[in-house]
């Protein structure tokens, strides 16, 4: 189980952002995409012995996409529940748990500030979300919004500057 925990932690560090973006491309909601990511990794834990290390990325992308599609088909009316039995072997050491909790708090803080950006300037918000979560480049964003790639670049730059300043003012650490 300890070897599985280390592999799962490594896979999470390596692929969690990709899995979130994959789920987000279907559900269009960051918090739901995070939930789907967690569910995907919980399912990986159950199947870790069956999934080849070479195919973990593809497996996670396939599972997260299917979970996201199921979620949207059901109109967002259900919550996933893996039903894992919790045993003492499952728990990580205290250091890992503290790091996870700190990162979770930072993530929540970033989401708060990002939501505020939407109220301040929806164009900046859309450009940043399309770039970061949908993995679109400036040309693709510009085509979708009917503007030049140069303007997209300006919006992203201004939006990121605003996010950094707002985060610093509200939460006071150099997270971004």
């Amino acid at each position: 189980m300890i070897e599985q925990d280390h592999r799962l932690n490594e896979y999470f560090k390596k692929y969690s952002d990709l899995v979130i973006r994959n789920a987000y491309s279907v559900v269009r909601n960051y918090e739901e995409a995070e939930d789907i990511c967690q569910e995907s990794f919980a399912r990986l834990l159950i199947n870790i012995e069956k999934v080849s290390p070479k195919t973990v990325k593809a497996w996670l992308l396939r599972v997260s996409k299917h979970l996201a599609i199921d979620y949207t088909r059901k109109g967002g009316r259900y919550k996933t529940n893996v039903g894992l039995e919790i045993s003492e072997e499952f728990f990580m050491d205290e250091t890992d748990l503290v790091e996870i909790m700190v990162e979770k708090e930072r993530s929540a803080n970033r989401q708060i500030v990002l939501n505020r950006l939407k109220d301040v300037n929806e164009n900046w918000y859309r450009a940043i979300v399309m770039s970061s979560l949908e993995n679109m480049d400036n040309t693709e964003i510009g085509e979708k919004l009917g503007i030049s790639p140069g303007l997209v670049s300006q919006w992203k730059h201004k939006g990121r500057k605003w996010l950094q300043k707002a985060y610093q003012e509200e939460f006071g650490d150099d997270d971004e």
Side-chain angles (χ1 to χ4, degrees), residues 52-115:
S52 162
K54 293 178 181 178
T55 62
V56 167
K57 179 180 175 183
W59 189 93
L60 284 166
L61 292 174
R62 186 175 62 250
V63 168
S64 63
K65 183 161 190 151
H66 287 286
L67 287 171
I69 290 169
D70 284 349
Y71 178 84
T72 57
R73 281 185 184 152
K74 294 176 182 175
R77 292 187 308 267
Y78 85 104
K79 293 291 180 193
T80 55
N81 184 3
V82 150
L84 291 175
E85 290 182 26
I86 298 177
S87 68
E88 293 198 24
E89 294 175 348
F90 181 76
F91 293 102
M92 296 176 227
D93 68 26
E94 202 171 308
T95 307
D96 288 344
L97 187 57
V98 169
E99 288 175 15
I100 289 169
M101 295 306 292
V102 167
E103 183 52 39
K104 185 172 182 166
E105 182 178 347
R106 284 184 177 157
S107 179
N109 293 347
R110 287 190 295 265
Q111 188 64 40
I112 289 167
V113 176
L114 183 61
N115 288 337

Side-chain angles (χ1 to χ4, degrees), residues 146-163:
I147 59 174
S148 73
L151 186 55
V152 172
S153 180
Q154 289 176 8
W155 286 356
K156 286 172 33 182
H157 177 74
K158 289 177 180 179
R160 286 183 178 129
K161 285 287 195 189
W162 186 91
L163 286 170

